[in-house]
Amino acid sequence: MTAPTTETATTETAGTATATTTTAATAAGTSAPPRPLTAVPGGTRSPLTRVEGPEKVTGAARYAAEVPFENVAHGWLVGSTIARGRITAIESDAVRAMPGVVAVIHHGNAPAINTDYQSIMGTPDPILGLFQQDTVPHVGWPVALVVADTSEQAREAAEALVVRYEEEPHDVVFSADSPDFYTPPPNMLGPADTAKGDLDAELAASDVVVDEVYTTPEEHHSPMEPHATTARWDGGRLDVIDSNQSTMFVAGELANLFQVEPASVRVRAEHVGGGFGSKMVKPNQIAAIMGASATGRPVRVSLTRRQMFTMVGYRSPTSQRVRLGADAEGRLRALDHQAKAQTSRVAEFLEPCASTSRVLYDAPAHHTSHRLLRLDVPTPTFMRAPGEAPGAFALESAMDELAVRGGIDPIALRARNEPDAGPVSGLPFAGRNLTACFEDGARRFGWADRDPRPGVRRDGRWLLGTGTAAATFHAGAGPSTASVTAEADGTYTVRINATDIGTGARTAMVLVAAETLGVDPGLCRVHIADSDLGPAMFAGGSMGTRSWAWAVSRAAGDLRDVLAEGGDIPAEGVTARSDTTEALGSLAEKERHSFGAQFAEVAVDTATGEVRVRRMLGVFAAGRIVNPLTARSQLVGGMIWGLSMALHEEAVRDRASGAQVGADFAGYHFSANADVPVVEAHWVEDHDPEDPIGIKGVGEIGIVGAAAAIANAVWHATGVRHRHLPIRPDRVLAAGTGSEGYGAADA
Amino acid sequence: MREFGYERAADVPGAVALLNADPEARFLGGGTNLVDLMKTGVERPAHLVDVRELPLDTIESVDGGLRFGATVTNSDLAAHLDVRRQYPALAQAVLAGASGQLRNMATVGGNLLQRTRCGYFADVSQPCNKRSPGSGCPAIEGEHHNHAILGASSHCVATNPSDMAVALAAFDAVVTYETVDGPGELALDDFYLPVGDTPHRETALPPGALITGVRLPAAPVAALSRYRKVRERASFAFAVGSVAAALDVRDGVVHDVRLAFGAVASRPWRARTAEGALTGGPATAEAFAEAADAELAAAAPLADNAYKLPLVRNLVVAVLTELAEEAAR
């Protein structure tokens, strides 16, 4: 059996003449030639192109489904075609006889999986209890795995497998009017409801009131690289090559699910082509391990794009009622954000939309609430800015409506409502700088020249408008460990179990280590994404860089101190290690968030319903920026996703079958290059002297508020308020240009 | 996906012979649609006969019109000087479709035969009368916001996705083909069959026929023509409504006009009623709107696609108004 060519921290030879900066280079056992790192001029700090960039653009970087294994077999998952019911028969005999088929695994013969445990993310999603039951809770629920010699044979056999069901009536329609909404229990994000003050009284006493409902549809992550896993048993140890957001988390979950010692599981995720919340533990990992156990061969399971629409989670559709009441100057007297979302019948996931209102604005009467509806659908999950992305669309659209009705500039309205402390927590903010973002953005965007009247600017067939919105996202951190080694040859090796899901994490860690050590980044190599490296935060929640940089900078700082004492470096090098668990705990309890101001200019042809975004500009207060180059990429990427959310993204469910219609990239639209205009991302100085690391993370803030800025710009262009995403041609056509000043017409 | 045999045909008779040797064989052009459908199991050919290298890749002038072969790529067709001069709407239509990479692969023959992008058709776990005759049409009661408003039936409401074919319909294209019994041709009007109760039968091509090319008759009116496509993003999406139009205005009177609609029917929709209403009349926005309404009087929208009526009407008015203004310059 041949080992994969990806590298391991324990077997690498660190003594190559000149430092290479990726594990992949040393991995293949070759002495990688020295590579100059490309510094990019013009940033506030030292911008660095991705250290693994050459491997990625030449195809040398291996993703999970590409790592070669000898004698690998291929697993193909079979998803349920019914939305609710029971499997009555799986006619596997015919499929077993098909060319190349080596195993068919289903609820009748699958090994036991343990789902009775708690991890940092709570109880495992029941979909991970693969083939443990004959009941089916939604379309696409995995019901069998076919393993064959080739991927094509596995797919053909999987598609030929006849599964018989006893169907039960199902309901997949997310209707805000349903009587079945319930109040979810408190979760990691806090209680479902918060309330202070007398809403009715404050609304009644308000000079200006907004009371509207905003909706967002079901949306999917669909990272470019599909979920893929290769698993094998290697001398009693489970070796998993995977695409995920945390090898540590995945390894821990797999140890629990398969009831093996945590030390017996090794998970690596050398390169990951996007995650966005969807790449934690999913059926592909479980299936690959089951296949490996059943066949004694390495087994690879890759999901198809279509399977990704049912097996890896998505963002719930939302319906949000927002009520705002303000005095004549625009100071909020009442804020009520009621958010509804869906979950599956087998697990609970809450899209916490109203949490946005718990951070952005305060009012004497301030209420937020969440309600959930169980349907016969897949379980939703975290997706880029869970809660804030749809939540800010609703809240920041409502704030724009309040500004229009009150005759107040939208930026002035927000400045007038800067809270002194957390509206719900009462805790001080560690820093906001939201007003600074708006001021800098207004200057760069040219907001001062804006005529507030809607529907009065034309460029040929296009009506033009501009809009703005606020953004916020939590700035947290998780405990992490790291080590930094001074090698005898004068290079440095950083070990941190980070995952680079496309964000540039590897490069950021090189920069953090080099800056702390006071050495050239070209002397630093970094090993990441291997559960054997030890515990570290996952790449998610905009917490990765903040958490890992904390650990790396501490280890590098300690090493620097040791090296300062002088002396020779022995052959094995000098290593310093860190663990941030205690440091995190000593941080004072405060409201810690990043903030931002989004601006957009749109063109709308109301005769055809076409909306084109001409310009987007975002200014963010996101703490210390480690690498301006990749940080800008993340912010711009988030903003483009917001554009996509505003105009394109929408998963549609067929009421009769419960399946998604058009579950592929022909049917599920997101912005194409031609939709993406000039997009600028900037940041303001955002320094918290109490925060030893100062990094806040930029993974999610870019999407927050972007859709609202665009929808607000569409109002400014046409005079019609669009409260339902996406703003499709048919909706724009139906809405026309309206004539009432507030644009009360719904699309 | 099913294992399949693959052969590359050397000449037209050889291609036809290879196809007819296996009832489960399919011609492979650029593969931009067929291969996708094979991956999802909608198409399960036992054999592919690759016709992309056949000597059918020329564009030539014939009797004041044009003739182009079936293996001309979309990119080459759209870039050809005579196409751009004589039938600008055709070049625009082709460029409005797909992406640069796909247009480099896709061929004229394959473009004419591409299948609907109805989401139910593409999902083999769903009923679909077009894919599996008699199984039903879930789109009628289900998701149909981009389905047909004209010429559909209770058996199928899918639309033809081609942009190119809309312009070809406007310009009276003739499709030529080869069979084991010799060559033949079909006017585009007759090429696509009515839906009726046989949505799985899409064209009037004889069984086993290979499309060899398209002939466009001389059409001076086409020199002033336009294709406008509305879709749910700026590129790389199928139309939710489109119009190919050509206009010859003399002294404010419509001397000649061509109109065809896309994304409204199972076929490119030649708007002859509207053309008749306009010919000889004033070239005004009011007249354009009335003509569009006359054509759309036959429309039978479903619950969620009635927006296509104002969309097509507005497109007709906008495009013809632009052309009339250009004619006046």
Side-chain angles (χ1 to χ4, degrees), chain B residues 298-313:
Chain B
L302 301 161
D304 299 325
N305 67 358
Y307 73 95
K308 292 197 178 203
L309 280 95
L311 173 59
V312 172
R313 180 184 197 265

Side-chain angles (χ1 to χ4, degrees), chain A residues 525-691:
Chain A
R525 72 175 69 73
V526 59
H527 297 296
I528 63 167
D530 181 340
S531 59
D532 277 1
L533 287 169
M537 184 59 191
F538 52 79
S542 294
M543 292 185 275
T545 306
R546 176 172 167 82
S547 306
W548 307 322
W550 203 325
V552 168
S553 63
R554 284 172 76 96
D558 288 350
L559 179 66
R560 182 193 54 209
D561 294 344
V562 171
L563 296 177
E565 293 166 13
D568 290 339
I569 294 174
E572 70 273 19
V574 176
T575 297
R577 298 174 195 283
S578 66
D579 182 339
T580 60
T581 308
E582 272 183 40
L584 294 182
S586 66
L587 208 56
E589 205 186 346
K590 284 190 177 178
E591 291 273 355
R592 298 181 190 279
H593 311 272
S594 48
F595 291 90
Q598 303 268 13
F599 294 81
E601 178 181 347
V602 304
V604 185
D605 182 346
T606 54
T608 61
E610 294 160 290
V611 179
R612 298 281 184 269
V613 176
R614 292 193 166 186
R615 207 158 51 108
M616 293 179 83
L617 187 147
V619 178
F620 302 94
R624 179 186 153 210
I625 300 299
V626 178
N627 186 358
L629 199 64
T630 48
R632 182 167 280 118
S633 282
Q634 281 210 76
L635 292 168
V636 166
M639 291 167 71
I640 292 170
W641 202 327
L643 191 174
S644 230
M645 177 182 170
L647 302 185
H648 308 303
E649 291 190 47
E650 177 178 35
V652 179
R653 276 191 187 279
D654 179 58
R655 185 183 293 251
S657 68
Q660 193 185 320
V661 185
D664 53 40
F665 282 175
Y668 186 84
H669 287 167
F670 46 84
S671 301
N673 278 346
D675 292 288
V676 178
V678 176
V679 182
E680 283 181 49
H682 304 276
W683 42 85
V684 296
E685 182 65 28
D686 184 37
H687 179 61
D688 172 9
E690 286 176 27
D691 187 340

Side-chain angles (χ1 to χ4, degrees), chain A residues 439-503:
Chain A
E439 284 170 358
D440 189 51
R443 180 180 60 78
R444 293 175 183 272
F445 192 77
W447 189 262
D449 305 330
R450 181 181 190 257
D451 179 345
R453 292 173 302 153
V456 296
R457 288 151 300 274
R458 226 173 224 295
D459 175 11
R461 65 187 175 98
W462 301 99
L463 284 163
L464 306 182
T466 53
T468 189
T472 182
F473 195 79
H474 177 63
S480 298
T481 62
S483 75
V484 182
T485 301
E487 309 288 359
D489 64 357
T491 64
Y492 300 86
T493 304
V494 179
R495 291 184 174 84
I496 172 84
N497 193 6
T499 319
D500 192 337
I501 56 174
T503 57

Side-chain angles (χ1 to χ4, degrees), chain B residues 119-194:
Chain B
Y120 298 100
F121 174 76
D123 182 351
V124 292
S125 71
Q126 296 283 343
C128 171
N129 285 327
K130 189 183 274 299
R131 175 169 34 75
S132 178
S135 60
C137 175
I140 292 170
E141 296 293 322
E143 165 57 25
H144 56 239
H145 103 270
N146 198 14
H147 283 63
I149 56 171
L150 284 162
S153 79
S154 60
H155 297 269
C156 180
V157 292
T159 56
N160 182 298
S162 176
D163 294 298
M164 179 189 79
V166 181
L168 293 183
F171 302 142
D172 298 318
V174 175
V175 180
T176 60
Y177 60 83
E178 189 76 26
T179 69
V180 284
D181 304 319
E185 61 179 48
L186 281 164
L188 203 70
D189 267 353
D190 305 321
F191 182 81
Y192 295 107
L193 295 171

Side-chain angles (χ1 to χ4, degrees), chain A residues 155-156 607 648 654 670 675, chain B residues 39 44 120 232-234 314:
Chain A
R155 181 173 199 167
E156 176 68 6
H648 308 303
D654 179 58
F670 46 84
D675 292 288
Chain B
K39 288 182 190 167
R44 295 179 52 81
Y120 298 100
E232 290 182 349
R233 60 183 170 190
N314 293 347

Side-chain angles (χ1 to χ4, degrees), chain A residues 75-95:
Chain A
W76 204 274
L77 281 163
V78 179
S80 157
T81 54
I82 66 161
R84 182 170 176 158
R86 203 173 61 81
I87 303 165
T88 55
I90 292 189
E91 299 176 0
S92 57
D93 288 351
V95 162

Side-chain angles (χ1 to χ4, degrees), chain A residues 77 103 105-107 109-113 128-132 145 147 231 233 238 257-258 283-297 299 301:
Chain A
L77 281 163
I105 305 171
H106 50 79
H107 72 279
N109 63 2
I113 298 276
L128 302 178
L130 209 59
F131 317 138
Q132 302 296 300
L145 176 77
V147 186
W233 287 98
L238 187 56
L257 290 159
F258 288 92
N284 46 294
Q285 293 125 338
I286 319 298
I289 294 167
M290 271 192 184
S293 299
T295 63
R297 295 165 64 177
V299 169
V301 176

